[in-house]
Amino acid sequence: MNATATSRSLPPDIRMTNALAGSVGALAVLLLVMTLAAWALRLPGFELRSIRIDGDTEHNSAASLRAAVAPQLAGNFFTMNLPATRAAFESVPWVRQAVVRRVWPSGLDVSLQEHQPAALWDDDAGAERLVNSYGEVFEADAAEVAAE
């Protein structure tokens, strides 16, 4: 008799028990693989070691950007939330847009576009605000524009 004929001749309760045992075994293997992957992703070998900043850095130096953003960065090469990292860079004065990419094995590449001031705007409270060339109001020191 072959294996197919033997499994058909087994009672239904034994076939169901075999299927359940196979499913539990597969689930246990899947959980083990996921646990090992999560452990491996948190190894110190994947921590960020470098942040390369290029693009417009006229109003912010690379060192000041790193100092402002580094406390907001969390995770390693694999677990870092890139949209949150981009938002952290864009929260720095003068930064209009940031593009953040992972660089294997332990770095980030950040490309910045700064606001280009086009006008000063006095709001209702009497505070001077800056408007960029895209018509967006942004927060920055208006005295820096006056000095240019």
Side-chain angles (χ1 to χ4, degrees):
M1 270 176 39
N2 62 23
T4 306
T6 304
S7 67
R8 286 188 186 144
S9 64
L10 292 174
D13 60 336
I14 293 177
R15 281 188 279 157
M16 188 169 28
T17 302
N18 287 343
L20 181 63
S23 298
V24 169
L27 181 63
V29 169
L30 179 65
L31 286 174
L32 177 65
V33 167
M34 289 174 53
T35 302
L36 288 174
W39 171 77
L41 289 177
R42 286 173 174 71
L43 289 174
F46 297 118
E47 66 189 24
L48 287 179
R49 292 192 180 98
S50 67
I51 300 174
R52 187 173 70 91
I53 298 173
D54 62 355
D56 299 336
T57 55
E58 183 179 329
H59 293 95
N60 294 304
S61 69
S64 68
L65 284 164
R66 282 189 197 100
V69 173
Q72 300 176 47
L73 301 181
N76 63 23
F77 181 80
F78 293 107
T79 62
M80 178 166 285
N81 183 342
L82 291 183
T85 302
R86 179 186 52 78
F89 275 98
E90 289 177 351
S91 70
V92 174
W94 290 101
V95 176
R96 179 177 181 270
Q97 184 179 31
V99 177
V100 180
R101 291 179 291 275
R102 291 180 175 98
V103 178
W104 181 258
S106 60
L108 284 179
D109 186 15
V110 181
S111 181
L112 300 177
Q113 177 187 19
E114 286 190 343
H115 290 283
Q116 300 300 318
L120 283 173
W121 174 51
D122 289 328
D123 63 9
D124 294 336
E128 284 188 337
R129 308 211 32 206
L130 294 168
V131 179
N132 69 15
S133 56
Y134 293 95
E136 302 164 339
V137 177
F138 67 98
E139 296 290 328
D141 186 9
E144 286 186 48
V145 176
E148 291 179 359

